[in-house]
Amino acid sequence: MRTFTVEEISQIVGGMLTKAQDAKISQIAPPLLSDENTLALALGEEEIANLAKSKAKAALVPLGVQIDGLTTIEVERPRLAMMKLLNLFYTAPQVNKGIHPTAVVHETAKLGENVQIGPNVVISHDAVIGDNTKILANSYIGGGVNIGKNCFFHPGVNIGDRVKIGNDVILHHGVSLGADGFSFVTENPDNIEQARKDGEIKEANTKHVIFKIPSIGAVEIGNNVEIGANTAIDRGTIENTTIGDNTKIDDLVMIGHNCKIGQGCLIVSQVGIAGSCVIGDRVVIAGQAGLADHIEIGSDTIITAKAGVTKSFPEKSIVVGIPAVPRKEFIKQLKTLKDAQEIFAKFRKYEPLLKEFEENINNDHNS
């Protein structure tokens, strides 16, 4: 196990070292789980307080935090420094060299230099795989797929035909790229079409035959994209579904056919994006948000958790609620609800007086 001095760690993270005692660092951990050879990560107030109970000799702390008797490395951006340290101590999954004997590689497939293929992987006809790409066990690469350089596919990845993947892409367990889109049509107008046109369902279509619309497009993934476990991105109906460079997608995300996702986006777990949506650059979509089909979200927008987005929003919006509205409008709605509660409470307080007043009015009219 490799160890580092606190001076080396400080240089790696670009921090300011205040040295109280020597320490050899062989791992990183929260303060309460740290020993003398651990760099304690005290990035927030609770962790900083826990340093008093820690066995660590050294700690990574935010800028301006100094603790008597403890060696500290102060950093301006603690989370960024933590990323550098995690990369320092990270151990990548083991991959066999070359092509595993149980892998099936079609004779027309083209593999670059230093490509590593794990057990039971299937590489279909005319697939192209770039230099230094690693594909782990039980993955499937469809016909005509083009994969760039330095990619890493965890076990159980499934790539449909004609999908194009850029360089430095990471796909986690169970990712599905290029399944057919959820696209169907009925011979006669169905209740969905009625509801969209008239706002109501006037009559039932008893002869409800549903025809599948084939998807002849594909999926195109940009460079330096990471896609989490069990996420599914469907191929386009005619043109490609696209994911821009540097976009990061969490586990259990569903992106429908024909969607266009921009560059540098962050899409969090359990987000569902219906077909034909256009998402700008650097958009953040928080957990369990849902987007209706055929809407556009402008660049630099934040969609908060569990938002139900049914319409388009311009760039730099902060979108909240169900149905989703701009944040300022959402706060206004909450204030209105609070005011309504206060008004209702006053009404209940004075309701007996109102009834008495009404009774007196009625008695005067009857006399």
Side-chain angles (χ1 to χ4, degrees):
M1 180 183 294
R2 185 180 175 187
T3 61
F4 301 87
T5 66
V6 288
E7 288 84 0
E8 289 174 324
I9 294 290
S10 181
Q11 290 178 359
I12 290 168
V13 300
M16 185 170 64
L17 175 64
T18 301
K19 187 175 179 181
Q21 53 186 324
D22 286 322
K24 295 291 185 179
I25 304 301
S26 59
Q27 60 183 350
I28 55 177
L32 295 182
L33 300 179
S34 297
D35 59 22
E36 293 183 350
N37 296 317
T38 302
L39 179 70
L41 301 183
L43 309 186
E45 293 182 2
E46 183 177 354
E47 289 85 2
I48 293 170
N50 286 338
L51 287 173
K53 309 172 188 175
S54 177
K55 297 178 181 178
K57 293 182 178 180
L60 182 78
V61 296
L63 200 63
V65 175
Q66 295 184 6
I67 299 174
D68 292 339
L70 184 68
T71 294
T72 55
I73 301 172
E74 300 174 51
V75 290
E76 185 175 1
R77 288 179 57 78
R79 190 170 175 82
L80 182 64
M82 181 181 69
M83 178 274 295
K84 295 177 181 179
L85 291 174
L86 288 172
N87 276 296
L88 184 66
F89 288 99
Y90 176 73
T91 301
Q94 292 291 324
V95 184
N96 57 274
K97 293 184 178 180
I99 300 173
H100 194 274
T102 62
V104 178
V105 181
H106 196 276
E107 60 183 8
T108 61
K110 297 179 181 180
L111 276 57
E113 295 183 3
N114 195 35
V115 168
Q116 299 176 45
I117 306 296
N120 302 318
V121 171
V122 175
I123 310 293
S124 298
H125 65 89
D126 300 309
V128 177
I129 301 176
D131 299 345
N132 304 311
T133 285
K134 300 173 177 62
I135 303 176
L136 273 61
N138 301 316
S139 294
Y140 173 83
I141 310 299
V145 168
N146 193 310
I147 299 170
K149 300 177 181 179
N150 306 313
C151 294
F152 194 102
F153 295 179
H154 289 263
V157 165
N158 289 281
I159 311 297
D161 293 348
R162 305 183 311 282
V163 169
K164 183 177 180 181
I165 298 172
N167 301 322
D168 304 295
V169 171
I170 299 173
L171 303 181
H172 289 273
H173 305 73
V175 164
S176 170
L177 302 180
D180 278 355
F182 189 76
S183 191
F184 301 89
V185 66
T186 55
E187 186 172 4
N188 299 307
D190 62 8
N191 53 11
I192 297 176
E193 293 176 76
Q194 291 182 41
R196 283 181 170 174
K197 181 181 177 181
D198 304 320
E200 60 179 335
I201 301 171
K202 296 180 179 179
E203 56 185 43
N205 182 0
T206 56
K207 297 181 180 180
H208 192 68
V209 181
I210 302 174
F211 298 99
K212 176 182 174 61
I213 298 176
S215 300
I216 63 173
V219 174
E220 185 171 350
I221 307 294
N223 299 320
N224 196 32
V225 170
E226 184 164 353
I227 301 176
N230 295 319
T231 282
I233 303 176
D234 286 350
R235 64 176 60 251
T237 306
I238 299 174
E239 55 184 324
N240 292 345
T241 301
T242 61
I243 309 296
D245 295 349
N246 302 306
T247 283
K248 314 298 180 185
I249 302 172
D250 200 357
D251 301 347
L252 298 170
V253 171
M254 170 64 213
I255 298 176
H257 60 282
N258 304 331
C259 286
K260 309 294 181 187
I261 310 294
Q263 299 184 17
C265 294
L266 292 171
I267 302 177
V268 185
S269 180
Q270 299 184 19
V271 163
I273 303 177
S276 300
C277 287
V278 178
I279 311 295
D281 298 334
R282 300 172 301 279
V283 171
V284 177
I285 307 178
Q288 296 188 337
L291 279 66
D293 59 294
H294 292 85
I295 63 175
E296 296 187 18
I297 304 298
S299 295
D300 301 297
T301 288
I302 297 174
I303 297 174
T304 60
K306 295 189 176 183
V309 186
T310 60
K311 63 179 182 179
S312 298
F313 285 89
E315 63 179 19
K316 299 180 181 178
S317 297
I318 300 177
V319 180
V320 186
I322 306 174
V325 294
R327 180 175 179 273
K328 289 182 179 180
E329 183 176 338
F330 183 76
I331 293 173
K332 184 178 178 181
Q333 290 176 356
L334 291 179
K335 187 177 183 303
T336 300
L337 287 174
K338 183 179 179 181
D339 292 343
Q341 289 178 333
E342 292 176 357
I343 292 171
F344 184 72
K346 289 180 180 179
F347 171 78
R348 294 299 297 268
K349 179 179 179 180
Y350 294 108
E351 186 178 14
L353 295 177
L354 178 61
K355 288 183 177 179
E356 182 180 346
F357 177 77
E358 289 177 342
E359 290 174 358
N360 291 335
I361 293 293
N362 290 333
N363 291 335
D364 289 342
H365 287 165
N366 293 331
S367 59

